[in-house]
Amino acid sequence: MGKKIMLVDDAAFMRMTIKNYLTKAGYTDLIEAGDGQQAVETYEREHPDLVFMDITMPNMDGLEALQAIKNIDKSAQVVMCSAMGQEAMVVEAIQLGAMDFIVKPFKGDRIVQTVQKILP
């Protein structure tokens, strides 16, 4: 499919879960970052077509990383992932330029549908 997708979450299990869903759907160019700081550095180096990013992470949270990535690339396509009860953060993420958000725990079909909607 040729689209590069970056998965950002401090929990390796969550990155692996998303990776499995995407791989089954045919997306194979997947890169990972374990926190917001790594995400910004990796984005600058790799320029992925889409980013799935957790909100709550150490070092630099997802909202700060979203802002930093948008400063690097105004057209960056970022989907935020958050746990239940973080609605205020989700609203802030959308205001900062996130394309969409997915609430954890998420279902594989929701992730794949989101990717297909954003990356034609």
Side-chain angles (χ1 to χ4, degrees), residues 17-112:
T17 300
I18 297 171
K19 194 180 212 173
N20 288 341
Y21 291 137
L22 293 176
T23 302
K24 284 179 189 158
Y27 297 95
T28 56
D29 195 356
L30 306 173
I31 51 178
E32 299 181 39
D35 63 39
Q37 185 64 47
Q38 278 183 5
V40 174
E41 292 165 6
T42 304
Y43 190 92
E44 269 189 301
R45 190 173 58 249
E46 300 282 342
H47 293 284
D49 298 291
L50 178 62
V51 179
F52 276 94
M53 184 150 37
D54 188 24
I55 290 180
T56 308
M57 296 182 289
N59 300 328
M60 177 188 284
D61 71 26
L63 296 176
E64 292 170 315
L66 171 62
Q67 284 181 293
I69 288 171
K70 283 293 199 175
N71 286 338
I72 294 165
D73 178 3
K74 298 254 181 284
S75 65
Q77 303 202 78
V78 181
V79 174
M80 303 304 290
C81 304
S82 75
M84 294 284 208
Q86 294 182 321
E87 286 81 6
M89 288 182 176
V90 168
V91 169
E92 185 177 350
I94 298 295
Q95 290 170 341
L96 291 171
M99 302 287 296
D100 200 352
F101 68 93
I102 297 177
V103 178
K104 295 180 187 177
F106 34 66
K107 294 176 173 55
D109 58 346
R110 172 72 165 100
I111 291 170
V112 173

